[in-house]
């Protein structure tokens, strides 16, 4: 139907070849303008819905992402309409050039938006966009073959194969596009797994990592198939690659396997409070190479996964998040011990982070050299928020209560007894000499 309309229109208004070219050029310009209008309308209609779906799947809202989705919908619609128009009619040169320039520009902008939309570098999006635009333009005006031949001539032979500039450019473009697609698919799958209610945090993290590995493997083999690479040609390098894994990548592979084992046996999970050597904090992230342990100082310790497999790890929240604290307090011997115990109970119960169940207890532990020693034992269930602040809060409250009730906190004291003075030692004379020296020099001897 469209072919008949275009044929009737050109036969009616075109009396010679030159007039025919100008007539088709006008039609091409009108169709390009129509594709832009249709693309704009579709972007207004579909972009908000697609943006909502993307935000639901990706797990975050972004005005920039909405704008890129709107632009990509508009440009994709323009590419489809212009491509269909080119396929429906054998256009003359001027019309073909108009379509080629428009399609090349739109395809380049679409590629640029796509690359930047998956948070890859802006310069990479610009380079990819220009490359796609140039390739599209030359392929439509009939000069792409000369360019490919020229690019293929720049290279060198390697065995039975040949490495040329054309192959290098093709591999780079294919790799970037596959990486971008894999990144989008991986993000959607990861968010779907994280929103699933059937898995706990550890199973979700394990599922995300396995999905990422599978996506990378699939993208790799798709790239091999698209580029037409014969895997048998890589047989020569298999031995060297095996040695590289055995020696150079031994630790990397070991840490990767250790990380997967940690997630599978659930001995260490994100959010656990652990102690490894001098590192104390909660597990922020279990990565491919290392576990991120965030300390109370805001420092992030990256501990290799393999270390957590072979070294002793103290996990405060392995099977139960409750952690018991011990706070030592000493009072003078002349204190009312029943009252002291009552005040200690009051102080620990007034702390907001101390659990009511299990209930805190106060024990009289021992009769020390200078004090009667008590110990407060209480429980908290959020050790990731710190231990010292709870202890400080309880001890400050103990101090206030002891001051209110005149309970003495003793400190070591020693009485010095001099049995006899040396011969010729005059205490009064020495005292007066010391006072005189202090008056003259301002210091005591």
């Amino acid at each position: 139907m469209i072919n008949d309309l275009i044929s009737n229109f050109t036969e009616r208004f075109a009396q010679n070849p030159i007039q025919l070219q100008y007539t088709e050029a006008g039609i091409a310009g009108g169709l390009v303008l129509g594709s832009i209008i249709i693309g704009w309308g579709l972007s207004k209609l579909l972009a908000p819905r697609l943006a909502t779906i993307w935000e639901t799947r990706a797990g975050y809202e972004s005005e920039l992402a909405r704008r890129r989705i709107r632009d990509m919908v508009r440009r994709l619609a323009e590419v489809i309409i212009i491509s269909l128009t080119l396929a429906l009619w054998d256009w003359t040169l001027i019309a073909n050039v108009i379509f080629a320039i428009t399609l090349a520009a739109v395809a380049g902008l679409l590629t640029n938006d796509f690359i930047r939309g998956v948070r890859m570098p802006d310069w990479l999006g610009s380079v990819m966009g220009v490359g796609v635009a140039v390739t599209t333009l030359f392929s439509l005006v009939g000069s792409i073959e000369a360019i490919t031949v020229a690019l293929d001539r720049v290279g060198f032979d390697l065995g039975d194969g040949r490495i040329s500039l054309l192959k290098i450019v093709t591999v780079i473009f294919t790799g970037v596009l596959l990486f971008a697609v894999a990144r989008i698919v991986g993000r959607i799958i990861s968010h779907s797994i994280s929103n699933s209610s059937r898995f706990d945090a550890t199973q979700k993290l394990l599922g995300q990592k396995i999905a990422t590995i599978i996506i990378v493997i699939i993208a790799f083999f798709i790239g091999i198939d698209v580029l037409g690479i014969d895997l048998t040609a890589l047989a020569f390098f298999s031995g060297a690659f095996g040695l590289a894994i055995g020696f150079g990548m031994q630790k990397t592979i070991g840490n990767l396997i250790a990380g997967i084992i940690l997630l599978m046996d659930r001995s260490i999970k994100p959010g656990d409070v652990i102690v490894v050597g001098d590192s104390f904090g909660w597990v922020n992230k279990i990565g491919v190479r290392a576990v991120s342990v965030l300390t109370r100082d805001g420092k992030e310790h990256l501990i290799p996964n393999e270390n957590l497999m072979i070294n002793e790890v103290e996990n405060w929240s392995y099977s139960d998040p409750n952690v018991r604290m011990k706070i030592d307090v000493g009072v003078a011997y002349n204190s009312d011990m029943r009252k002291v115990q009552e005040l200690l109970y009051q102080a620990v119960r007034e702390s907001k982070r101390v659990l009511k169940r299990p209930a805190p207890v106060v024990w009289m532990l021992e009769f020390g050299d200078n004090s009667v020693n008590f110990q407060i034992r209480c429980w908290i269930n959020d050790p990731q928020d710190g231990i010292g602040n709870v202890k400080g809060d309880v001890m400050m409250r103990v101090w206030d209560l002891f001051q209110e009730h005149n309970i003495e906190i003793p400190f070591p004291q020693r009485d010095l007894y001099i049995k006899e003075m040396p011969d010729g030692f005059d205490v009064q004379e020495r005292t007066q000499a010391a006072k005189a020296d202090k008056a003259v020099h301002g210091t005591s001897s």
Side-chain angles (χ1 to χ4, degrees):
M1 180 177 179
I2 296 178
N3 286 341
D4 294 337
L5 290 174
I6 297 175
S7 179
N8 293 335
F9 186 85
T10 54
E11 289 177 359
R12 181 176 179 182
F13 292 96
Q15 303 299 327
N16 55 64
I18 296 178
Q19 189 176 0
L20 176 62
Q21 289 197 27
Y22 286 119
T23 302
E24 288 195 359
I27 296 174
L31 290 174
V32 167
L33 181 60
S35 67
I36 294 175
I37 295 174
I38 294 174
W40 179 83
L42 289 176
S43 67
K44 292 292 184 181
L45 179 64
L46 299 178
R49 300 179 183 179
L50 293 176
T52 302
I53 295 174
W54 167 254
E55 290 171 351
T56 302
R57 295 295 183 183
Y60 69 93
E61 297 182 2
S62 172
E63 184 61 31
L64 178 61
R66 283 181 166 268
R67 187 167 66 251
R68 291 201 184 280
I69 291 174
R70 183 191 62 208
D71 294 341
M72 290 175 64
V73 169
R74 183 176 72 250
R75 287 160 184 162
L76 181 61
E78 293 170 4
V79 167
I80 294 174
I81 294 172
I82 295 175
S83 300
L84 291 175
T85 304
L86 275 170
L88 290 175
W89 183 257
D90 187 15
W91 298 93
T92 56
L93 179 60
I94 299 177
N96 196 37
V97 170
I98 293 174
F99 284 127
I101 293 174
T102 306
L103 185 59
V106 175
L109 291 172
L110 177 62
T111 304
N112 179 48
D113 288 338
F114 178 70
I115 297 299
R116 294 188 179 189
V118 294
R119 296 185 179 180
M120 297 178 72
D122 291 348
W123 65 266
L124 184 59
S126 301
V127 171
M128 291 287 294
V130 171
V132 170
V134 172
T135 304
T136 304
L137 179 61
F138 282 109
S139 64
L140 292 176
V141 298
S143 301
I144 190 66
E145 184 176 355
I147 295 176
T148 55
V149 171
L151 291 175
D152 189 56
R153 288 178 179 176
V154 181
F156 57 92
D157 295 328
L158 182 63
D160 296 333
R162 176 174 175 76
I163 298 178
S164 64
L165 186 58
L166 177 63
K167 286 187 177 180
I168 294 175
V169 172
T170 304
V171 169
I172 292 174
F173 271 67
T174 304
V176 171
L177 289 176
L178 283 175
F179 178 77
V181 173
R183 193 166 183 173
I184 290 178
V185 174
R187 186 173 298 172
I188 293 175
I189 293 177
S190 296
H191 184 69
S192 300
I193 293 175
S194 65
N195 285 342
S196 176
S197 58
R198 295 178 296 175
F199 307 115
D200 58 23
T202 305
Q203 292 172 334
K204 289 178 181 178
L205 184 58
L206 178 61
Q208 290 171 350
K209 292 190 177 298
I210 293 176
T212 301
I213 295 174
I214 293 175
I215 291 171
V216 171
I217 293 175
I218 293 175
F220 172 77
F221 283 106
I222 290 176
I224 292 294
D225 184 65
V226 170
L227 296 173
I229 298 176
D230 187 5
L231 291 178
T232 57
L234 302 177
F236 174 77
F237 300 99
S238 60
F241 184 70
L243 289 176
I245 293 179
F247 292 98
M249 300 182 65
Q250 180 180 5
K251 291 294 184 181
T252 303
I253 300 300
N255 285 321
L256 173 62
I257 296 175
I260 294 176
I261 293 175
L262 288 175
L263 291 172
M264 291 181 65
D265 68 2
R266 304 175 65 185
S267 57
I268 296 177
K269 309 178 291 295
D272 281 353
V273 179
I274 65 173
V275 180
V276 184
D278 296 331
S279 300
F280 166 75
W282 63 94
V283 178
N284 185 38
K285 178 183 177 183
I286 300 179
V288 174
R289 188 191 68 84
V291 172
S292 168
V293 178
L294 190 62
T295 68
R296 289 291 298 168
D297 297 329
K299 300 177 181 178
E300 203 157 359
H301 294 181
L302 299 179
I303 303 174
N305 295 331
E306 199 173 16
N307 288 6
L308 300 178
M309 292 288 296
I310 62 178
N311 295 331
E312 181 179 349
V313 179
E314 185 178 333
N315 192 336
W316 289 20
S317 50
Y318 176 60
S319 57
D320 189 348
N322 292 351
V323 175
R324 190 175 71 170
M325 296 178 51
K326 298 178 182 179
I327 304 173
D328 295 319
V329 179
V331 297
Y333 273 90
N334 59 357
S335 303
D336 183 350
M337 300 305 167
R338 300 291 182 184
K339 188 63 176 180
V340 168
Q341 190 175 40
E342 178 185 339
L343 295 177
L344 293 178
Y345 269 116
Q346 180 181 347
V348 71
R349 286 169 180 166
E350 290 178 356
S351 180
K352 295 180 179 179
R353 288 179 55 195
V354 172
L355 299 179
K356 307 303 180 186
R357 295 181 181 276
V361 295
V362 177
W363 296 103
M364 179 187 287
L365 290 186
E366 62 179 352
F367 299 105
D369 294 337
N370 305 287
S371 63
V372 178
N373 297 323
F374 287 80
Q375 188 176 80
I376 302 173
R377 299 177 182 178
C378 58
W379 295 82
I380 60 174
N381 60 2
D382 51 357
Q384 68 274 9
D385 291 335
I387 303 295
N389 49 9
V390 180
K391 184 176 180 180
D393 179 55
V394 173
M395 294 185 72
M396 181 60 71
R397 186 57 183 152
V398 168
W399 174 265
D400 292 338
L401 291 175
F402 280 6
Q403 292 294 311
E404 292 175 8
H405 295 83
N406 297 319
I407 302 295
E408 180 185 354
I409 299 178
F411 54 88
Q413 300 182 48
R414 297 290 184 269
D415 293 331
L416 180 62
Y417 173 70
I418 301 175
K419 188 174 182 180
E420 62 177 311
M421 303 298 290
D423 294 338
F425 187 88
D426 191 338
V427 177
Q428 185 176 3
E429 181 181 350
R430 289 297 183 94
T431 303
Q432 291 177 353
K435 290 181 179 179
D437 184 69
K438 183 177 181 181
V440 174
H441 298 93
T443 58
S444 59
S445 57

